Every structure is written in C-alpha cells, then in structure tokens.
C-alpha cells in the first residue's frame, strides 16, 4: 500500500505551516532551512522596511530570535495558489504575545511566496501587513 | 532596424507602472484589463481585509474609483523577480492625496504578483502594507 501523493497545494500549505512553527518555536536553524538563501529573498516584517537579500533577511530572523518573547501563532484562512514551481499563500496570522501580567493579540494579513527547489518548497518572500482594526472573535486585545 | 527585445524584468516593471497609472487616473477599464479575472485573484488594500476572487477584487476597484480623490502616486525602489511565467514586484508606493486646503502623504510597501498570459503580464495579487512611521525625505505629512 502506498500513500496517495500530496497535492502541490497541500505541500505548499505544509511548508507555510513549517514557517510559522519555526517562528513560534524561535528555531533559527529551521527558519534558515526554509528560505531561498539568495539575493532574490525579500521580507517585510510588520512595521519594518523591506529587507532585500538573504543576508539581511536571515540576519533579521537571527536578531528577532535573540530577544525571545513567548508567543503563540495560529493561521487562519490559508489560501494556496500553485503555478509550476512558484506558489504563494495568503493567510491571516493570529499572534498572541505573552508578557508580564497579561498578553496581547495581533492579526496580520500575510502573503508568502515559495519556489520549489529540489522537490522542496522554500520561502522567497514574506510580506506581513498588520490588520489595524481586526480583533478575532472571542478575543480581547489585552488582559491584565 | 528592430528594437532590442525588452527584458522580462522590464516588461513586468512596465506592467507594474501601468497598474499605478490606472490607479492614479481612476481608470477602471484600464485597471480591469490589468488583472487575471479569475477566482485566484486576491487583493489587500491598506486597512482592508483580503479580497478573494475577481468578483470582489474588481468590485473594490469600481467602488474606490466611484469616490474619486485626487491623488498622485510615485513608486520607489521597484524590484522585479521573474520566474518563468510568474513574477513579483516589491515597491514603495508614495501616495499624496489632495483635500480641501492641503494634502497628506502616505507610504505603503507593496508586493504585486503577476502571471504572464498570452504575452501580457497580468496582476493576480496586490498586497499593500502601510509603513506607519515612514515619511519620505523632504515631505511634510500634511500642509494646511
């Protein structure tokens, strides 16, 4: 018995989940392995300017992971489009950050572009736009 | 004498400029002709939720163009990556909106994804993230 092959969309959605898992776990080695480590890599963290090229993109993750904040990230409404060996995923990042005495939540609308390299889907662009007035249902913005 | 063929990057950058020209000119027919009019079309206007499918994306442009505000849009730091018949452009949108008695400016970091269809580069995704603290050099945020 062989497993049914995963659809390309499912593979890309899995790679997308791996990205958020690496982010939540502050796992730098995993994060680095998920990217196309070339000049075409670009990354927009919320509120930052665009980072261009793997040197800056990889450096930003190293810097972010050095000041760890405990956070939980869940993804909603993931939408994958696959076009040959390029794909992109639109999804909402629901981020809960824990701090002394409470937590805060934020919602971010993200698009992640992937290239398929040797059978693996690797990130080449991450673009995160804060959703300023979006509060997920049943969630307070902060609790003290 | 024949013209040298435009590079694919240049073609995509031109399509990207056409998009902002249609936006600045509030030219709905032109805007519609620039898009892949299918379910895979997605669009994130600053501060909106993601629009999914051409019906909603096209409808949003019609609605935006119905309440015209005079604006000027310039693009800085356009970066195109072409991968077969998929391409994306990262750029900064510098938007000046005129209103009674003054104007305001905003900077937006955008990524636009294009598909090549019958030799033409068409938008399939627009994603605009406001740059909250970014004021272009030599520009006041507003003048009354």
């Amino acid at each position: 018995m062989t497993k049914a092959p995963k659809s390309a969309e499912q593979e890309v959605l899995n790679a997308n989940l791996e990205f958020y898992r690496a982010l939540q776990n502050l796992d730098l080695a995993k994060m680095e392995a998920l990217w196309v480590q070339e000049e075409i890599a670009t990354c927009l963290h919320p509120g930052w300017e665009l980072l261009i090229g793997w040197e800056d993109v990889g450096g930003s993750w190293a810097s972010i992971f050095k000041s760890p904040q405990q956070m939980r990230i869940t993804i909603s409404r993931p939408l994958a489009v696959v076009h040959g060996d390029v794909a992109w995923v639109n999804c909402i990042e629901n981020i809960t950050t824990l701090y002394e005495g409470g937590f805060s939540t934020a919602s971010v609308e993200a698009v992640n572009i992937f290239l398929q390299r040797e059978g693996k889907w690797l990130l080449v662009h991450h673009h995160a736009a804060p959703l300023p007035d979006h509060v997920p249902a049943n969630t307070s913005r902060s609790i003290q």
Side-chain angles (χ1 to χ4, degrees), chain A residues 13-34:
Chain A
L13 290 172
N14 287 348
N16 195 61
L17 272 182
E18 287 302 307
F19 168 68
Y20 290 107
R21 208 165 283 151
L23 179 54
Q24 176 172 284
N25 295 339
L26 305 167
D27 185 338
L28 187 58
K30 185 70 177 291
M31 177 60 83
E32 289 175 345
L34 285 166

Side-chain angles (χ1 to χ4, degrees), chain A residues 3-7 11:
Chain A
K3 281 188 193 172
K6 279 183 293 190
S7 74
E11 288 177 1

Side-chain angles (χ1 to χ4, degrees), chain A residues 44-128:
Chain A
L44 184 75
H45 300 297
W48 293 42
E49 299 204 353
L50 186 74
L51 301 171
I52 300 167
W54 172 246
E55 191 175 342
D56 284 358
V57 174
S60 76
W61 291 120
S63 147
I64 288 168
F65 288 6
K66 255 186 214 152
S67 30
Q69 275 195 295
Q70 235 194 311
M71 55 184 166
R72 293 280 302 165
I73 304 175
T74 60
I75 298 306
S76 20
R77 206 221 49 225
L79 285 176
V81 178
V82 180
H83 199 84
D85 55 359
V86 186
W88 58 96
V89 177
N90 284 291
C91 62
I92 297 173
E93 309 170 355
N94 307 293
I95 305 172
T96 302
T97 308
L98 304 181
Y99 55 84
E100 186 98 2
F103 64 89
S104 66
T105 65
S107 290
V108 170
E109 183 69 57
V111 62
N112 299 314
I113 305 179
F114 295 83
L115 295 182
Q116 198 177 33
R117 294 279 174 90
E118 300 172 5
K120 213 173 165 230
W121 289 99
L122 297 179
L123 273 155
V124 65
H125 178 63
H126 168 67
H127 197 111

